[in-house]
């Protein structure tokens, strides 16, 4: 089939070049001219992927960038006008832009260490379990939160954190008597505790999923490396610090970058736990963008796109820095 | 010659129809008037939209909660054998799908049942998604709608909403708690009375908290303001946050907060913080005596009580010398401009909104739901007054009486958003971060105006 295609392509002279390759009988067909397609046939095979990539990945980004330079408002049928950097100037001069970015960064600062360090420690502990059946049981238990649908997770934690009827406050008020229903902690709904509460939920939710990454990394470390270190007199901490940790660094890099992006860009949780109260810690740049694009006024999607681009650029700068921090030092 | 004139006239009418200079009803009546009855029908049946309308059944789409709260809807549907009943993709009042389709001159659905005028009607008009009902709604139905509700559904003299489910902000109370506190089992007539009774509830130990409200402005600030005066909208249609009535209402909210659960200002648990609010939790947990919200809320929450029959409901209290008004809104039907089957849609919505079983279920409750939403038609109330059904609770008549004075929040593109933008700003006063309520409210105005300048 491939040969047939190749022969067919050869019979498609484009620029009249003389073929160096002879296929078929020259006596019958005369000198075969090599087609442009032959020389570039790699591109022909790549074309579907390239087209898909451009259509699916590049076009939406280019479109958003273009929108960010216009006054596009979704609820009007007026054509969008080019406004240059006006939307960027408006976004950057709005204190809400910086406050909302700061809130997202605050959440990330709580979430990211929790989502790397705790799963790493758990993975190391489980990796050390000698009884394979028990190790499997631990893995399954850890993975349970990861397979619970998001809706159920949100319902569960909203109930857990509920000020009046949640089990956490029930424990603090009814069981321990440390608080009353007049001064018990207000976990969700826009208080200072909201972002830490959401971070705890997220860490719990991703615990098993992230641990599996580290378990895979641990399994890939040759057993003789830590054994040799131990024979040379290294203690367990030294083995972990100098043998295990450097070899898990590529996995940490992937997790940090993936989770940095998702934690800075959280939106569902904030919509569910905080809404559109602009003073709420959950009103981050993603909510600001959504608010402008789909809720407020004539839905100013030009400004919303600029807010999104500013947020994305800030994130890209941080990701570059993180890649530098976690670069391989071998 | 006559035939030729008929043909020219027919062509002109047809062109007007295609150019949407007239609707099909007008087209048919004109062709009939001109003695072109059959010819007119012939033309209209060749008109693309009409042909399309015949090719798809009536397709209404409902906001999910309406189906959840009103189990009688399938019975109405059964009277329209071909109806293609659907649930709308409008979680959190999102109308983006409707707008996207309208931009392409198309609509998957014919009618949307779930539109709340002050929330989204102006936006739907701005985006050219909906058209007025005026050409389709029968005159007797228009005349039957309570005037204040008709006003709510009208913009620039055109009726863009067909009202269905009426929500009115009123007072609910727990008779068991109130009696235990030694208080009369009736609605407090004034806010002063309301506050002193709330104090009595706490002091007597009958409940942990005296009173509660929903902190969202359209559910507390606006109705409390209306109870003093409903003339509180600026010339451009925005709520007058700095008016005396609004200031009084804000101070009242702070007073009630002193007798309420500490989480009263927190965001709700569902629908972007709008629903599942702390007041509902407190009332459901029987921790509070008095409650101000639309009746749907106390009715739903009382289902969790030891004895749901302890629920009582009445009108909103008044300020001394106040107007005694409240806020209401309807959730009704919007007619998609690019939808089909418009006459059929009107028939369907009429059947839906006059269905006695739906109203009985709504007001008296069923095994699955008790929304307490009321009808928008004078004739239904009059009928019940003339011959009171045994299932009709007293509060319906009380609320009907208040409806003549009640007023909806004025329609505006920022009709809802002004309260969302303003809430954290006026809460600075409620939390004690700002001492002067006027300063807090001026900050609200500044915040809303700044947002409006963006367009």
């Amino acid at each position: 089939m491939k040969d047939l295609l190749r022969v067919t392509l050869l019979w498609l002279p484009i620029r009249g070049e003389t073929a160096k390759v002879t296929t078929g009988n020259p006596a019958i067909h005369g000198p075969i001219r090599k087609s442009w397609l032959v020389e570039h046939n790699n591109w022909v095979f790549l074309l579907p992927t390239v087209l898909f990539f451009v259509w699916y990945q590049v076009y939406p980004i280019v479109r958003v960038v273009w929108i960010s330079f216009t006054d596009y408002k979704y609820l009007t049928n007026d054509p969008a006008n080019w406004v240059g950097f006006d939307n960027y100037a408006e976004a950057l001069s709005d204190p809400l832009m910086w406050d909302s970015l700061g809130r997202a960064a605050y959440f990330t600062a709580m979430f990211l260490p929790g989502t790397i360090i705790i799963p790493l420690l758990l993975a190391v502990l489980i990796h050390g379990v000698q009884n394979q059946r028990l190790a499997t049981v631990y893995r399954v238990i850890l993975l349970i939160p990861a397979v619970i649908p998001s809706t159920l997770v949100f319902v569960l934690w909203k109930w857990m954190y509920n000020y009046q009827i949640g089990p956490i406050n029930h424990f603090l008020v009814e069981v321990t008597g440390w608080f009353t229903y007049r001064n018990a902690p207000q976990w969700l709904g826009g208080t200072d505790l909201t972002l830490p509460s959401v971070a705890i939920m997220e860490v719990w939710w991703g615990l098993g999923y992230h641990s599996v990454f580290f378990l895979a990394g641990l399994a890939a470390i040759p057993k003789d490396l830590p054994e040799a270190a131990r024979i040379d007199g290294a203690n367990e901490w030294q083995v972990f610090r100098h043998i295990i940790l450097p070899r898990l660094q590529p996995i940490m890099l992937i997790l940090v970058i993936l989770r940095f992006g998702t934690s800075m860009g959280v939106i569902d949780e904030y919509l569910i736990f905080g809404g559109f109260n602009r003073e709420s810690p959950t009103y981050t740049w993603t909510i600001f963008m959504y608010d402008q694009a789909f809720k407020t006024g004539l839905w100013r999607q030009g400004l919303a796109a600029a807010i999104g681009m500013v947020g994305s650029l800030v994130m890209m700068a941080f990701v570059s820095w993180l890649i530098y921090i976690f670069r391989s030092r071998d | 010659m006559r035939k030729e004139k008929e043909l020219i006239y027919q062509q002109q009418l047809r062109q007007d129809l295609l150019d949407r200079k007239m609707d099909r009803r007008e087209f048919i009546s004109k062709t009939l008037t001109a003695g072109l009855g059959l010819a007119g029908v012939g033309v209209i049946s060749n008109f693309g939209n009409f042909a399309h309308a015949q090719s798809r059944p009536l397709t209404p789409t409902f906001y999910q909660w309406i189906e959840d709260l009103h189990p009688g809807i399938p019975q109405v549907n059964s009277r329209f054998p071909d109806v293609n009943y659907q649930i709308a993709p409008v979680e959190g009042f999102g109308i983006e799908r409707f707008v996207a389709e309208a931009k392409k001159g198309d609509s998957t659905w014919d009618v949307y049942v779930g539109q709340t005028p002050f929330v989204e009607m102006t936006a739907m008009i701005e985006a050219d998604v909906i058209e007025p009902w005026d050409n389709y709604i029968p005159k007797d139905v228009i005349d039957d709608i309570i005037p204040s509700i008709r006003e709510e559904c009208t913009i620039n003299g055109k009726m863009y909403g067909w009202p269905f489910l009426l929500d009115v902000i009123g007072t609910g109370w727990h008779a068991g708690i109130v009696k235990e506190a030694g208080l009369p089992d009736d609605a407090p007539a004034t806010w002063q009375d309301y506050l002193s009774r709330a104090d009595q509830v706490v002091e007597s130990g009958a409940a942990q908290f005296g009173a509660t409200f929903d902190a969202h402005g359209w559910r507390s600030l606006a109705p409390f303001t209306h109870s003093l005066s409903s003339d509180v909208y600026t010339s451009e249609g925005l709520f007058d946050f700095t008016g005396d009535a609004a200031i009084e209402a804000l101070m009242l909210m702070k007073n009630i907060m002193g007798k309420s659960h500490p989480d009263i200002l927190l965001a709700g648990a569902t629908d972007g913080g709008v629903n599942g609010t702390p007041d509902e939790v407190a009332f459901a947990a029987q921790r509070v005596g008095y409650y101000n919200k639309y009746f749907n809320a106390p009715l739903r929450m009382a289902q969790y009580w030891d004895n749901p029959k302890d629920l009582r409901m009445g009108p909103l209290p008044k300020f001394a010398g106040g107007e005694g008004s409240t806020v209401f809104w309807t959730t009704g039907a919007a007619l998609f401009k690019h939808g089909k089957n418009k006459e059929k849609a009107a028939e369907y919505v009429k059947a839906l909104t006059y269905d006695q079983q739906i109203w009985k279920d709504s007001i008296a409750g069923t095994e699955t739901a008790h929304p307490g939403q009321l009808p928008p038609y004078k004739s239904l109330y009059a009928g019940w007054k003339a011959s009171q059904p045994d299932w009709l609770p007293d509060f319906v008549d009380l609320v009907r009486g208040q409806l003549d004075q009640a007023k909806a929040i004025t329609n505006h593109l920022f009709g809802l958003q002004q309260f969302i933008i303003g809430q954290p700003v006026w809460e600075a006063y409620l939390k004690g971060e700002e001492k002067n309520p006027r300063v807090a409210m001026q900050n609200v105005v500044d915040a809303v105006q700044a947002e409006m300048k963006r367009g």
Side-chain angles (χ1 to χ4, degrees):
Chain A
M1 187 67 195
K2 195 178 172 185
D3 286 341
L4 182 66
L5 179 67
R6 194 172 173 78
V7 171
T8 309
L9 291 174
L10 284 167
W11 281 97
L12 293 170
I14 290 178
R15 290 185 182 163
E17 296 171 29
T18 307
K20 289 173 186 166
V21 182
T22 53
T23 304
N25 188 345
I28 299 168
H29 300 292
I32 297 170
R33 293 190 301 181
K34 185 184 174 189
S35 79
W36 180 88
L37 281 174
V38 171
E39 283 202 334
H40 299 88
N41 63 5
N42 285 348
W43 284 101
V44 174
F45 292 112
L46 276 175
L47 202 59
T49 310
V50 170
L51 285 176
F52 179 78
F53 176 73
V54 169
W55 167 76
Y56 192 70
Q57 199 101 30
V58 177
Y59 172 71
I61 295 170
V62 172
R63 169 100 180 145
V64 170
V65 172
W66 177 77
I67 289 174
S68 73
F69 288 104
T70 70
D71 62 355
Y72 183 55
K73 294 174 181 135
Y74 194 70
L75 289 188
T76 69
N77 288 318
D78 300 336
N81 299 303
W82 183 265
V83 294
F85 283 94
D86 284 4
N87 289 327
Y88 287 89
E90 188 175 346
L92 292 170
S93 62
D94 192 331
L96 200 51
M97 177 83 239
W98 300 107
D99 286 350
S100 59
L101 266 173
R103 290 164 188 162
Y106 175 51
F107 174 77
T108 303
M110 286 181 291
F111 169 76
L112 213 49
T115 213
I116 301 294
I117 296 167
I118 300 173
L120 171 64
L121 295 177
L122 273 172
V124 170
L125 289 173
I126 291 172
H127 188 67
V129 174
Q130 298 300 314
N131 184 326
Q132 281 310 303
R133 193 169 288 179
L134 199 58
T136 305
V137 170
Y138 286 143
R139 283 189 176 97
V140 170
I141 291 171
L142 265 180
L143 272 171
I144 287 173
V147 297
I148 299 176
S150 57
T151 314
L152 201 58
V153 170
F154 298 147
V155 169
L156 171 70
W157 282 87
K158 274 195 293 194
W159 168 69
M160 297 264 286
Y161 283 134
N162 189 285
Y163 178 83
Q164 298 183 53
I165 55 168
I168 297 174
N169 275 9
H170 177 82
F171 176 78
L172 296 174
V173 175
E174 307 284 356
V175 178
T176 64
W178 294 339
F179 293 93
T180 70
Y181 280 114
R182 291 203 173 273
N183 64 2
Q186 298 176 9
W187 302 102
L188 292 178
T191 64
D192 291 344
L193 288 174
T194 303
L195 284 183
S197 304
V198 177
I200 288 169
M201 179 198 80
E202 293 284 344
V203 169
W204 170 84
W205 196 7
L207 207 54
Y209 181 73
H210 297 132
S211 299
V212 167
F213 273 76
F214 289 117
L215 282 167
L218 287 166
I221 299 172
K223 285 193 176 355
D224 52 352
L225 275 177
E227 287 305 318
R230 286 187 190 103
I231 289 166
D232 287 345
N235 60 30
E236 286 307 309
W237 167 247
Q238 287 168 324
V239 169
F240 175 74
R241 173 71 184 82
H242 298 289
I243 306 289
I244 307 289
L245 208 52
R247 274 148 192 87
L248 291 179
Q249 206 148 317
I251 288 171
M252 285 172 74
L253 174 66
I254 291 167
L255 272 183
V256 165
I257 288 171
L258 282 177
R259 287 305 166 216
F260 175 81
T262 51
S263 58
M264 279 295 285
V266 166
I267 185 164
D268 289 352
E269 287 84 338
Y270 298 154
L271 281 174
I272 288 165
F273 291 120
F276 294 97
N277 182 328
R278 295 177 180 206
E279 295 294 317
S280 169
T282 53
Y283 195 93
T284 61
W285 67 281
T286 52
I287 302 288
F288 186 26
M289 179 175 61
Y290 184 86
D291 198 4
Q292 291 297 326
F294 296 110
K295 289 280 171 191
T296 306
L298 290 169
W299 297 14
R300 296 170 291 252
Q301 301 201 337
L303 175 62
I307 294 166
M309 292 309 298
V310 170
S312 301
L313 289 172
V314 170
M315 280 170 64
M316 277 194 268
F318 266 93
V319 166
S320 305
W321 178 69
L322 287 169
I323 289 172
Y324 175 76
I325 295 287
F326 285 91
R327 71 191 184 283
S328 174
R329 292 180 173 86
D330 283 343
Chain B
M1 188 65 189
R2 184 171 175 271
K3 283 278 174 199
E4 195 178 323
K5 278 184 179 172
E6 277 181 8
L7 188 67
I8 292 166
Y9 189 46
Q10 186 183 350
Q11 289 296 329
Q12 182 56 47
L13 289 174
R14 184 176 181 276
Q15 193 55 49
D16 286 352
L17 182 66
L18 289 168
D19 294 345
R20 298 184 188 279
K21 288 178 183 168
M22 70 171 74
D23 57 57
R24 284 192 297 281
R25 172 174 291 190
E26 196 181 348
F27 173 79
I28 288 173
S29 63
K30 281 189 175 174
T31 49
L32 285 172
T33 310
L36 302 172
L38 284 176
V41 172
V43 170
I44 205 165
S45 61
N46 286 327
F47 181 32
N49 272 356
F50 190 84
H52 194 110
Q54 296 307 300
S55 68
R56 95 174 188 199
L58 171 66
T59 312
T61 185
F62 281 66
Y63 205 150
Q64 174 77 53
W65 67 259
I66 295 177
E67 180 186 78
D68 296 343
L69 295 182
H70 297 278
I73 292 171
Q75 268 188 319
V76 177
N77 290 344
S78 68
R79 303 210 293 269
F80 292 79
D82 294 332
V83 72
N84 180 15
Y85 174 86
Q86 295 196 10
I87 293 299
V90 289
E91 193 68 33
F93 303 103
I95 56 167
E96 46 269 37
R97 171 80 185 275
F98 299 154
V99 179
E101 289 199 343
K103 279 176 184 284
K104 293 179 194 162
D106 193 15
S107 177
T108 304
W109 307 279
D110 302 329
V111 61
Y112 166 49
V113 184
Q115 174 185 260
T116 304
F118 85 99
V119 174
E120 71 230 308
M121 198 162 80
T122 308
M124 299 257 260
I125 295 168
E126 287 279 347
D128 215 17
V129 173
I130 58 173
E131 70 174 69
W133 280 103
D134 301 62
N135 293 328
Y136 307 97
I137 186 169
K139 189 172 180 312
D140 61 309
V141 174
I142 294 179
D143 292 341
D144 197 19
I145 298 171
I146 293 167
S148 52
I149 296 176
R150 209 162 64 204
E151 188 187 339
E152 178 207 17
C153 296
T154 303
I155 291 181
N156 294 332
K158 291 179 178 173
M159 213 167 144
Y160 285 93
W162 186 324
F164 178 22
L165 305 163
L166 170 67
D167 280 301
V168 185
I169 304 285
T171 304
W173 66 93
H174 190 303
I177 291 174
V178 163
K179 283 177 193 166
E180 195 184 326
L183 291 164
D185 187 12
D186 57 14
T190 64
W191 285 116
Q192 197 176 6
D193 187 18
Y194 180 93
L195 291 168
S196 63
R197 287 193 194 192
D199 276 333
Q200 177 67 21
V201 167
V202 179
E203 284 163 16
S204 66
Q208 279 176 300
F209 310 111
T212 188
F213 58 80
D214 183 318
H216 294 96
W218 63 97
R219 294 172 181 162
S220 49
L221 181 69
F224 294 178
T225 304
H226 281 205
S227 74
L228 181 57
S229 169
S230 60
D231 184 18
V232 287
Y233 295 88
T234 64
S235 55
E236 58 182 328
L238 291 170
F239 186 76
D240 183 8
F241 289 99
T242 50
D244 289 341
I247 302 292
E248 285 294 327
L250 187 65
M251 293 195 292
L252 172 66
M253 286 167 76
K254 191 165 186 174
N255 274 333
I256 298 175
M257 277 178 65
K259 304 154 201 332
S260 195
H261 41 98
D263 61 335
I264 189 168
L265 297 181
L266 299 190
T270 59
D271 292 330
V274 168
N275 292 322
T277 45
D279 48 280
E280 293 187 347
V281 178
F283 202 63
Q286 304 181 83
R287 288 196 177 136
V288 65
Y290 293 93
Y291 186 24
N292 294 119
K293 199 162 175 170
Y294 45 85
F295 292 116
N296 173 329
L299 281 164
R300 277 186 293 119
M301 296 309 118
Q303 291 169 31
Y304 301 100
W305 290 358
D306 301 329
N307 180 13
K309 289 184 177 170
D310 274 342
L311 176 68
R312 303 285 187 277
M313 292 186 290
L316 204 62
K318 286 183 186 181
F319 281 98
E323 194 178 299
S325 176
T326 184
V327 161
F328 73 86
W329 56 79
T330 56
T331 303
L335 186 65
F336 286 114
K337 182 174 180 177
H338 303 289
K340 320 294 177 195
N341 306 299
K342 292 178 184 174
E343 287 85 3
K344 196 79 179 167
E347 265 178 58
Y348 177 76
V349 177
K350 184 180 177 186
L352 187 74
T353 52
Y354 274 100
D355 187 78
Q356 287 283 349
Q357 189 62 43
I358 284 183
W359 295 119
K360 182 186 172 192
D361 291 347
S362 177
I363 295 165
T366 61
E367 280 182 11
T368 55
H370 194 176
Q373 290 170 311
L374 303 175
Y377 300 123
K378 290 182 278 189
S379 63
L380 291 177
Y381 293 98
W384 292 335
K385 192 152 193 167
S387 166
Q388 184 164 342
D390 55 358
W391 50 263
L392 195 74
D394 293 339
F395 87 89
V396 174
D397 196 41
L398 283 169
V399 172
R400 172 66 190 91
Q402 209 176 20
L403 262 179
D404 291 330
Q405 294 155 294
K407 186 177 162 68
I409 291 166
T410 302
N411 289 307
H412 191 280
L413 190 60
F414 281 77
L416 175 70
Q417 286 299 317
Q418 62 185 332
F419 294 107
I420 293 174
I421 294 165
Q423 189 177 341
V425 187
W426 74 62
E427 282 183 357
Y429 170 74
L430 298 179
K431 290 174 181 170
E433 295 159 7
E434 168 58 57
K435 301 289 177 204
N436 188 338
R438 286 190 187 278
V439 171
M441 287 303 219
Q442 185 56 52
N443 292 340
V444 171
V445 172
D446 294 345
V448 172
Q449 289 295 335
E451 201 59 47
M452 280 180 61
K453 271 184 195 159
R454 286 175 161 166

